[in-house]
Amino acid sequence: MSIWFVRCVLPVWWLYDRLLPKRADHWAFFVHPLKTDQFVENSRAVFEAVKDDPALCKVLFTRGEVARLRLEGGRNVRVVELQSLQGLALLARCGVFLLTNAITFDLSWRWGTHGFAVLRPSLGRRIIVNLWHGIPLKRLFALTSPQMRQQAERIALRREERAYYQGLISSSDVDSHAMAAIFYPIDPARVWVTGLPRNDFLRMPESHLPTFLKDEVQLVRDLKKTRKLIVYAPTYRERSGDAAGCYPFSEEEIARLRELLRRHDAVLGFRMHYFRRHGQTFSLEQYADGDSIIDLGHALISEIAPILREADLLVTDYSSVYIDALYVDKPVFSFAYDLEHYQTQQNGLLYDMQLAFPGPVVGSFSALLDKLGQELMRPHLVASEHYRMARKFFFNHQDDRNASRVVGRLKNLMAEARDGE
């Protein structure tokens, strides 16, 4: 793509977008901004809830890769390349934007290794809702350190757009306050306590899942066989002395881990963060054998739901994936080997771990193995009062109706827009 083409076309589109009337029945969805071959998480769950509604035109904007989208059925659905003239024309028509991350991510044009340009749509003439992917445990955006905040908001639109959101989803009353602070200057009244649509995939009957998720559930079953599944899913680290920002497992530790797995007829499935720089590898990847230690990464399993549905225990560090595990009553463990460093040198945490994490928080590999062995021998964590309180802390709803609540809010906004015309 020529930079001259971009410089000529995007300013024209800026004017075209401000002149063209918007259609509130045209909903714009976007593929994942980094996993561009996948249409997943909250956006996918909302799409699944409305895909058969003939009154809505659902426009999915892609980024060159459509093989893994696995759309099934649907009425009045269009799939279009974002970085095309047709994509620009349809985008300008859409009166509803359902963001996966931010306008600066979802609506950016990219080329080459470092080239990118941010589309600047009219913010005040359409309904913009952020379907943020998770419940934050760590500090983000407005709550990060000044240095990290400056880096994250080096594009002024990143902060400006938040004031125009007409909706930002959250999972509980507590979570709504955190989201309002993180996404400042959003109007706190526009934070919706609907629950996360993607959590519907954790709770709904398997027969109701989209086919691609049913297939992934079966794939996880085939890999775990009849054994217990321990899932290890650490968070991404912004800065770390280790090449990929993860715990450096030793051969001796892996041998001890395999002995624990053998003793309890279990398997470890690891799911590392999808974001890595310049071909970095995580130390656990070198020990994957497809039997006792298996890779459940994003290239194989697109959503976390199939993994958590089949998991027996979850080990993380500071990833909010543990909150998803609470949604389906799975025991959780925090391997917090670098807690002080994470608090002071990286994003840091919104909540005290002893308050918000209802399972063991351990700082050494030996302590982790000991706690895992205790739970595998005598399960007790899910029945604890601490576990019950953590669920109440993070969830106002624990059902499979989160997407329906979001859609209801959107249709109310559509009705208000019509009444105001």
Side-chain angles (χ1 to χ4, degrees):
M1 179 186 300
S2 166
I3 189 172
W4 299 109
F5 175 79
V6 174
R7 286 178 174 174
C8 291
V9 169
L10 296 193
V12 174
W13 182 83
W14 183 93
L15 179 60
Y16 177 71
D17 183 56
R18 279 149 182 80
L19 295 175
L20 190 71
K22 309 305 174 198
R23 293 282 303 271
D25 60 349
H26 281 47
W27 291 16
F29 294 86
F30 304 90
V31 293
H32 194 281
L34 297 178
K35 298 186 293 180
T36 55
D37 65 336
Q38 295 184 12
F39 179 38
V40 291
E41 299 177 344
N42 291 319
S43 295
R44 182 59 179 263
V46 172
F47 174 83
E48 292 293 331
V50 300
K51 68 180 183 181
D52 292 319
D53 185 344
L56 298 175
C57 177
K58 286 75 63 177
V59 186
L60 173 58
F61 292 92
T62 63
R63 293 184 180 275
E65 303 170 273
V66 298
R68 296 191 64 196
L69 300 183
R70 299 194 63 181
L71 305 181
E72 307 164 44
R75 302 176 65 184
N76 206 7
V77 174
R78 300 188 66 175
V79 179
V80 63
E81 171 63 36
L82 176 66
Q83 297 182 196
S84 68
L85 294 178
Q86 182 187 21
L88 287 177
L90 275 173
L91 189 67
R93 175 66 70 186
C94 289
V96 176
F97 282 1
L98 299 173
L99 304 177
T100 70
N101 185 291
I103 285 173
T104 48
F105 266 48
D106 295 344
L107 274 69
S108 64
W109 273 29
R110 305 166 197 167
W111 62 92
T113 306
H114 301 291
F116 78 97
V118 176
L119 297 181
R120 297 180 180 273
S122 175
L123 300 177
R125 300 179 61 229
R126 47 173 52 97
I127 298 168
I128 302 175
V129 174
N130 194 316
L131 302 176
W132 186 254
H133 60 271
I135 301 168
L137 179 65
K138 53 193 175 187
R139 297 177 182 274
L140 298 169
F141 304 144
L143 298 185
T144 58
S145 66
Q147 297 85 353
M148 296 186 73
R149 186 162 63 248
Q150 183 178 12
Q151 171 67 15
E153 297 182 354
R154 63 192 184 278
I155 300 174
L157 180 62
R158 191 75 189 264
R159 175 187 172 95
E160 178 188 349
E161 67 177 83
R162 298 175 204 152
Y164 288 88
Y165 292 165
Q166 294 198 39
L168 170 67
I169 60 172
S170 68
S171 184
S172 70
D173 295 328
V174 171
D175 183 44
S176 71
H177 295 307
M179 293 293 278
I182 287 170
F183 283 83
Y184 177 83
I186 190 175
D187 179 350
R190 294 182 175 182
V191 180
W192 301 347
V193 187
T194 56
L196 304 188
R198 64 180 174 83
N199 281 350
D200 292 351
F201 296 148
L202 292 170
R203 281 281 183 175
M204 67 174 52
E206 185 176 335
S207 60
H208 294 177
L209 289 171
T211 299
F212 81 99
L213 288 180
K214 285 189 279 192
D215 291 346
E216 291 182 359
V217 168
Q218 186 59 52
L219 178 56
V220 176
R221 285 181 184 148
D222 292 342
L223 290 170
K224 69 178 281 193
K225 301 173 183 174
T226 60
R227 299 168 292 180
K228 300 182 183 71
L229 174 61
I230 302 172
V231 175
Y232 176 55
T235 193
Y236 170 72
R237 287 162 171 74
E238 296 287 346
R239 298 188 298 271
S240 174
D242 181 71
C246 65
Y247 182 78
F249 292 92
S250 69
E251 291 189 8
E252 184 268 339
E253 288 172 334
I254 293 298
R256 292 168 61 195
L257 172 62
R258 286 195 167 114
E259 171 56 24
L260 175 87
L261 297 173
R262 184 198 62 76
R263 191 164 64 248
H264 293 283
D265 192 26
V267 57
L268 180 81
F270 63 86
R271 184 175 178 84
M272 313 309 286
H273 198 278
Y274 59 81
F275 187 72
R276 64 180 82 197
R277 297 181 184 276
H278 311 303
Q280 294 169 335
T281 59
F282 299 99
S283 70
L284 195 56
E285 292 175 322
Q286 65 182 301
Y287 299 109
D289 56 15
D291 182 26
S292 62
I293 300 177
I294 58 177
D295 188 346
L296 298 177
H298 297 258
L300 184 69
I301 310 293
S302 60
E303 292 267 6
I304 192 63
I307 297 172
L308 290 181
R309 288 176 74 110
E310 293 299 308
D312 294 278
L313 301 89
L314 174 79
V315 179
T316 184
D317 40 21
Y318 323 111
S319 171
S320 61
V321 68
Y322 88 85
I323 303 175
D324 298 327
L326 302 186
Y327 207 74
V328 280
D329 302 332
K330 307 290 183 175
V332 293
F333 301 78
S334 174
F335 184 23
Y337 61 90
D338 62 347
L339 179 57
E340 182 178 355
H341 180 269
Y342 193 85
Q343 285 277 43
T344 59
Q345 303 299 317
Q346 300 195 46
N347 285 334
L349 301 173
L350 284 172
Y351 311 109
D352 183 275
M353 288 290 282
Q354 299 302 326
L355 167 69
F357 198 93
V361 179
V362 300
S364 71
F365 181 79
S366 293
L368 175 64
L369 286 192
D370 181 59
K371 294 297 183 181
L372 286 173
Q374 292 177 27
E375 180 69 15
L376 287 165
M377 185 70 69
R378 292 181 297 276
H380 68 283
L381 291 176
V382 173
S384 71
E385 178 66 12
H386 192 184
Y387 198 99
R388 186 186 71 81
M389 291 303 297
R391 277 199 305 253
K392 187 175 181 180
F393 190 83
F394 286 115
F395 306 123
N396 277 29
H397 313 281
Q398 203 169 350
D399 57 22
D400 61 357
R401 302 289 298 166
N402 299 304
S404 294
R405 284 185 283 271
V406 172
V407 171
R409 291 274 197 146
L410 283 164
K411 290 190 173 181
N412 286 341
L413 288 176
M414 289 173 59
E416 291 172 8
R418 285 194 300 268
D419 291 342
E421 291 178 353

